[in-house]
Amino acid sequence: MARKKKPLPILENVTITDCAAEGKALARVNDMVVFVPFCVPGDIVDLQVRKKKHSYCEAEVIRFIKKSDVREEAFCQHFGVCGGCKWQTLPYEKQLEMKQQQVFQQLTRIGKIELPEFSPILGSVKTREYRNKLEFGCSNKRWMTREEIATGEPAGEMRAIGFHITGAFDKILPIEKCYLMDNLQNEIRNSIRDYAIGNDMTFFDLRQQVGLLRDVMIRNSNTGEWMVLVQFHYDEEDDEQRAMGLMQHLADTFPQITSLLYVDNQKCNDTFGDLDISVFKGNDHIFETMEGLKFKVGPKSFYQTNTEQAYHLYSVARDFAQLTGNEVVYDLYTGTGTIANFVAKEAGKVVGIEYVPEAIEDAKVNSEINGIDNTLFYAGDMKDILNDEFIARHGKPDVIITDPPRAGMHQDVVDTILRAEPKRIVYVSCNPATQARDLQLLDAKYKVTAVQPVDMFPHTPHVENVVALEMK
């Protein structure tokens, strides 16, 4: 006979004391650390333990006894179910304080190197509608809340467009209104939903790999342009005709869309970097501007998702580079060449490297349309391209600017940088933990001279950090 699982305990009258990783809050009960979502320091709550380990547990609030004096009301109707914007109830000043603390703790605890005094974090210009890109999944299995299930009522319409639920890969939380981007994205997404359901279109089933409507990406820019890319999954003979009906509906309803795109994605995942994108109407790109420069952004391009704050982030990187006009600069993980082109006028030559070939083509175009002739761009895996032979061919870098993905830099890349011995390194990171690990490796020859945290993502625990290093 199977052993019955011991019921997990309820913890009563618990005071939330701090913020923790991944947007969770923290409390201590006896010697147990308790992680709780959607709370702020000062909340007094009763908790239901959901997962228990030896030294910590994860729990959910089942009753608020007293709400914290610092707590703010959530502005989004999806707060508490949607996995994003977990810090909505934490005042923005407190969010910045927590992010500054996060950078300090990770660089000191993981890096274990000598550090200068940290500069105060740069807060975001906008705290709502600050993103220029959102992606929404489409599913025939919408997420149902515990409250909905508890009513015992029929589920009703199960097709949904929205965000994936953490821990339920095939379920989508229907989103009615999201505050992360200009409100037009809400109108576009909801119009796609209403047209698709009204015309009896099938939504994607991730387990069965069937269903016509699969994914929606929406981008906008500070030039007023909008891009919409709809991913379809053609199953039946008339699916393409149905898909074109939806595209025509978008073209007719939203003249603001200057780049209306679609793709038939037959893969098991919704990535489209290796697929051909079709243009239904308008251009295959939009433009962003920054300090008089124009940047072409295609559907596969990486561009910082907070446009206004990206300018401040790149300005810090340029200041830390201390360019005089003659330096050879390597821009690693260059994306569409934003940083490379942004610093080019103050450098002798800039060499950019990026994994995505389409992004590199955009980077070259960005140099061309801005009349910049001192940049070179190369596509490929960083650890394979950046080697001693490459440096011998293009010249020893005086300055290296690196902006790697969350995983940080590969050991081979770090080793090549150490052999190249640039005078200065500027390390831009979206993950201070992996940045700290890399700084420890670079500490063999470099000392950190400046640290500047930058908030790109209000209401989330994510933070960017820029570090300046000089040869010892």
Side-chain angles (χ1 to χ4, degrees), residues 251-274:
D252 294 341
T253 310
F254 299 100
Q256 303 97 320
I257 301 173
T258 57
S259 175
L260 184 55
L261 315 171
Y262 67 94
V263 62
D264 173 26
N265 184 351
Q266 295 291 326
K267 301 192 306 179
C268 293
N269 60 63
D270 56 13
T271 60
F272 55 86
D274 56 343

Side-chain angles (χ1 to χ4, degrees), residues 51 67 90 94 99 150 155 178 188 214 218 238 260 283 302 364 405 421 445 458 461:
K51 186 185 294 184
K67 291 189 175 181
L90 196 65
K94 188 70 175 174
K99 294 184 186 197
C178 176
I188 293 170
R214 180 164 190 168
I218 304 176
D238 63 347
L260 184 55
N283 304 312
F302 170 80
K364 291 175 182 177
E421 295 187 335
K445 290 186 179 180

Side-chain angles (χ1 to χ4, degrees), residues 194-207:
D194 293 345
Y195 177 92
I197 291 175
N199 287 272
D200 204 28
M201 292 175 69
T202 55
F203 283 40
F204 198 60
D205 186 312
L206 218 148
R207 290 183 185 273

Side-chain angles (χ1 to χ4, degrees), residues 440-459:
Q440 188 179 56
L441 298 173
L442 292 167
D443 188 59
K445 290 186 179 180
Y446 290 87
K447 66 175 181 178
V448 175
T449 57
V451 179
Q452 177 63 71
V454 181
D455 183 27
M456 303 285 286
F457 310 106
H459 311 302

Side-chain angles (χ1 to χ4, degrees), residues 47-91:
L47 300 171
Q48 171 66 67
V49 174
R50 296 293 178 194
K51 186 185 294 184
K52 192 173 184 297
K53 300 292 184 181
H54 178 66
S55 59
Y56 75 93
C57 65
E58 297 179 20
E60 293 178 0
V61 176
I62 53 176
R63 184 168 75 100
F64 279 95
I65 297 169
K66 180 181 181 298
K67 291 189 175 181
S68 171
D69 293 336
V70 304
R71 171 182 278 271
E72 292 185 345
E73 285 301 312
F75 52 81
C76 177
Q77 69 194 74
H78 304 295
F79 177 77
V81 184
C82 175
C85 304
K86 293 177 182 176
W87 277 0
Q88 275 182 52
T89 50
L90 196 65

Side-chain angles (χ1 to χ4, degrees), residues 318-349:
R318 186 173 59 187
D319 290 346
F320 281 4
Q322 299 177 40
L323 302 175
T324 62
N326 301 311
E327 291 86 358
V328 174
V329 178
Y330 282 18
D331 180 26
L332 310 185
Y333 313 94
T334 190
T336 55
T338 318
I339 292 180
N341 286 299
F342 188 67
V343 305
K345 65 182 179 182
E346 297 181 13
K349 179 171 77 169

